[in-house]
Amino acid sequence: MMQIYTLPEVIDHHFFQFNYNSFKDKLCILKNKEINMKETAQAATTQKKVKGILDRSITTREVIFLLAVVFCLSPFISPPIALLMGLVIAQFIGHPYLHLNHKATHILLQISVVGLGFGMNVSSALKAGKEGVLFTIVSITGTLIIGFLMGKFLKIEKKTSYLISTGTAICGGSAIAAISPVIKAQEKQISVALGTIFILNSIALFLFPIIGHALNLSQTQFGMWCAIAIHDTSSVVGAANKYGSNALEVATTVKLARALWIIPVAFLSAFAFNSKSGNIKIPWFIGLFILAMIANTYLPLGSNISHYIVYIAKAGLTLTLFLIGCGLSRKVLVSVGFKPLIQGIVLWVIISVAALWAVTMLA
């Protein structure tokens, strides 16, 4: 039976139906607006990110630095020139990524040294290593003793003096980085020692090849001399590479054999400074260098592959020296002080003259 509505009921029914449909339409509109707002916000965020990347202003300092890095990786820039470029940037422009410099040079130097191993022969390296053992023992012991006496005489802070002596005796910045936690050296003491060593390294990189040619040193003599007398591995390899390929092989082998003395010296340092909790950093990359030499000598890698690896390693070394130069800012140079620099210079002159006499008279 058909339901019959009265007039008021009909009016109420239609009014309810109208309100419901109107509410439903408004709800759909609101949902669509919300979806559109979300999509617009996401698009705006994406656009803002892209715009931020595109609109980021690269400073002139960063442009100059990055261009210098590219030049250092080219065959046109030698290690001494790369170091000089770095020094110029440090003094007049400033290193834009100074907070990353120490770690970058540390890693890059180790990779470069391992790469150089692919250009060396095991038998030649063993011969050079045997010839340099006696010089190494005598020079390390003598340098540490003279450094101790000089520190007392000049009244230099004990740990600073010791770090300068170990850096001069063994392998520069690597030795300082390994010994400093053992003796619990403070940041200021480490900075002064590193500054002293790197200043003298920079001079040695330019000076040693000139002296070597003036004295007509053989490749073997020069390689052994700079391995003993130049502090840091990077400058040793840079100077020897400039002098000749045989000098590079001798210098790298003798220097890395010398670097292994970090371990016994670190244990003696812990005893001398009554330090029990310091961690000794073992230079594991030397083992990789030895494996690279073995691979180059006994595995059929092919001369082309070895040549490219050595070329890349030398480019990495050039870049390392550039970064070291960039780290020698005016602040670092001023922080060194007069007395620590005097100790570093006197130790360096003594070990350089003694080593030069030894390799020319005894080698």
Side-chain angles (χ1 to χ4, degrees):
M1 181 180 286
M2 182 181 295
Q3 187 173 0
I4 301 172
Y5 296 98
T6 62
L7 183 60
E9 289 176 334
V10 170
I11 293 170
D12 289 344
H13 176 75
H14 281 289
F15 180 75
F16 173 77
Q17 191 74 25
F18 172 78
N19 283 346
Y20 173 75
N21 291 333
S22 176
F23 174 75
K24 189 176 178 182
D25 292 340
K26 286 181 179 179
L27 187 64
C28 290
I29 292 169
L30 286 172
K31 283 184 178 180
N32 289 333
K33 281 185 177 180
E34 186 180 357
I35 292 170
N36 289 334
M37 285 175 68
K38 285 182 178 179
E39 290 177 351
T40 304
Q42 288 176 352
T45 304
T46 305
Q47 188 177 4
K48 190 176 180 181
K49 287 180 180 179
V50 173
K51 190 174 184 298
I53 294 170
L54 294 175
D55 291 347
R56 183 183 179 273
S57 58
I58 299 178
T59 62
T60 306
R61 180 184 298 172
E62 289 174 318
V63 171
I64 293 172
F65 178 82
L66 293 173
L67 285 174
V69 168
V70 172
F71 278 124
C72 287
L73 294 174
S74 72
F76 307 109
I77 304 296
S78 64
I81 298 300
L83 179 65
L84 184 61
M85 284 171 56
L87 288 169
V88 170
I89 286 177
Q91 302 308 311
F92 301 105
I93 299 170
H95 194 332
Y97 311 108
L98 188 59
H99 60 291
L100 302 172
N101 199 63
H102 178 72
K103 190 170 184 179
T105 53
H106 181 71
I107 294 172
L108 193 57
L109 174 61
Q110 293 185 347
I111 294 172
S112 300
V113 167
V114 172
L116 290 175
F118 285 97
M120 298 182 186
N121 185 276
V122 170
S123 58
S124 301
L126 286 173
K127 183 182 177 183
K130 286 178 182 178
E131 291 175 352
V133 167
L134 182 60
F135 293 146
T136 297
I137 295 172
V138 172
S139 62
I140 289 175
T141 306
T143 304
L144 291 176
I145 293 172
I146 296 170
F148 173 76
L149 296 174
M150 282 198 64
K152 288 285 186 182
F153 177 74
L154 294 171
K155 296 180 181 179
I156 301 171
E157 198 282 323
K158 186 179 179 182
K159 290 182 179 179
T160 302
S161 175
Y162 187 74
L163 289 175
I164 292 171
S165 299
T166 52
T168 306
I170 307 174
C171 56
S174 301
I176 293 171
I179 300 297
S180 54
V182 175
I183 66 173
K184 299 178 182 177
Q186 297 175 0
E187 185 178 350
K188 173 69 174 177
Q189 296 164 334
I190 298 169
S191 298
V192 169
L194 285 172
T196 303
I197 294 302
F198 284 133
I199 289 169
L200 299 178
N201 270 324
S202 304
I203 298 170
L205 186 60
F206 292 97
L207 191 60
F208 270 55
I210 296 171
I211 296 174
H213 286 298
L215 297 177
N216 292 318
L217 295 181
S218 68
Q219 295 274 317
T220 302
Q221 287 174 329
F222 182 83
M224 199 168 295
W225 179 46
C226 67
I228 295 170
I230 300 179
H231 315 77
D232 205 69
T233 307
S234 57
S235 294
V236 169
V237 176
N241 182 46
K242 188 178 179 182
Y243 205 80
S245 57
N246 188 32
L248 175 63
E249 183 172 345
V250 172
T252 307
T253 306
V254 174
K255 192 63 180 180
L256 293 183
R258 191 183 184 86
L260 290 173
W261 281 82
I262 288 175
I263 301 169
V265 169
F267 281 110
L268 290 173
S269 303
F271 175 76
F273 285 84
N274 296 319
S275 176
K276 296 180 180 178
S277 60
N279 297 318
I280 297 173
K281 295 182 180 179
I282 300 173
W284 297 110
F285 75 98
I286 297 175
L288 296 177
F289 169 79
I290 294 170
L291 289 176
M293 279 198 304
I294 293 171
N296 183 59
T297 306
Y298 298 110
L299 297 180
L301 294 175
S303 59
N304 288 333
I305 296 176
S306 298
H307 173 75
Y308 286 124
I309 294 174
V310 172
Y311 176 81
I312 294 169
K314 288 181 178 180
L317 175 71
T318 303
L319 181 57
T320 302
L321 289 166
F322 167 73
L323 294 176
I324 289 172
C326 287
L328 290 175
S329 63
R330 193 175 289 106
K331 183 180 177 182
V332 172
L333 299 177
V334 171
S335 70
V336 170
F338 181 70
K339 288 184 178 180
L341 188 59
I342 289 296
Q343 179 186 352
I345 292 172
V346 172
L347 278 176
W348 182 45
V349 170
I350 290 173
I351 193 173
S352 298
V353 173
L356 182 59
W357 176 83
V359 297
T360 52
M361 296 294 110
L362 305 176

